[in-house]
């Protein structure tokens, strides 16, 4: 049930149209909670039907004009309830780790190149997060909402740092393995 809460959060930060939400998911929220254009529009309809959001009145009625949404008191209350609720961490599920485990029994053909590809992807993501940090969180920007947003970004930076270090270590180990057909 987290997509509706991600949308409520985004709309409380700034009333938006579905298209604007999709773009914001692509640029920020999507770094830790992704959603397709279709998923966002379906969820907007559900949230509106449930009385959590409403369509903002158009300044001038026009055919084909995009609808913008805002959160209603019931939506804010639901987001506050969800934020305060306890939730257990999800078990780790990563296909790359499963593939490494499988390689122990069927061989490593093709895996080293994919480890290098993953390392490059994580390095790029880390560089992007670090650039966002430099741009959006200069020293002294310490309002409570900024500090919480920065914590989310730091989680992304720390995760990407972990993956780049771990993949570097994995490639070192991989290079020391005897080659088996497979």
């Amino acid at each position: 049930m987290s997509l509706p809460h991600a949308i409520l959060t985004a709309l409380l930060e700034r009333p938006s149209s579905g298209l604007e939400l999709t773009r914001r998911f692509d640029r920020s929220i999507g770094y830790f909670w992704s959603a397709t254009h279709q998923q966002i529009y379906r969820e907007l309809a559900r949230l509106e039907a449930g009385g959590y959001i409403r369509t903002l009145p158009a300044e001038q009625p026009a055919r084909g004009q995009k609808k913008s949404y805002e959160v209603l008191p019931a939506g804010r209350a639901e987001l506050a309830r969800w934020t305060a609720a306890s939730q257990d961490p999800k078990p780790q599920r990563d296909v790359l780790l499963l593939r490494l485990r499988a390689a122990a029994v069927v061989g490593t053909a093709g895996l080293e190149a994919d480890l290098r590809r993953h390392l490059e992807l994580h390095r790029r993501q880390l560089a992007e997060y670090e650039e966002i940090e430099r741009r959006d969180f200069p020293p002294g920007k310490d309002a409570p909402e900024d500090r919480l947003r920065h914590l989310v970004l730091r989680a992304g930076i720390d995760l990407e740092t972990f993956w780049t270090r771990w993949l570097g270590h994995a490639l070192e180990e991989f290079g020391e393995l005897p080659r088996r057909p497979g």
Side-chain angles (χ1 to χ4, degrees), residues 11 15-18 20 48 54-57 65-70:
L11 289 175
S16 304
S17 69
E20 290 164 341
E48 190 170 28
R54 73 176 182 121
T55 304
L56 288 169
Q65 183 176 2
K66 61 184 176 184
K67 296 192 288 187
S68 287
Y69 299 89
E70 71 176 352

Side-chain angles (χ1 to χ4, degrees), residues 57-79:
E59 290 179 15
Q60 294 182 16
R63 185 171 162 84
Q65 183 176 2
K66 61 184 176 184
K67 296 192 288 187
S68 287
Y69 299 89
E70 71 176 352
V71 177
L72 294 171
R76 181 179 283 276
E78 169 53 23
L79 188 59

Side-chain angles (χ1 to χ4, degrees), residues 1-3 5-6 9 77-87:
M1 182 129 156
S2 295
L3 179 57
H5 298 102
T9 299
E78 169 53 23
L79 188 59
R81 182 208 60 77
W82 179 79
T83 300
S86 178
Q87 185 174 19

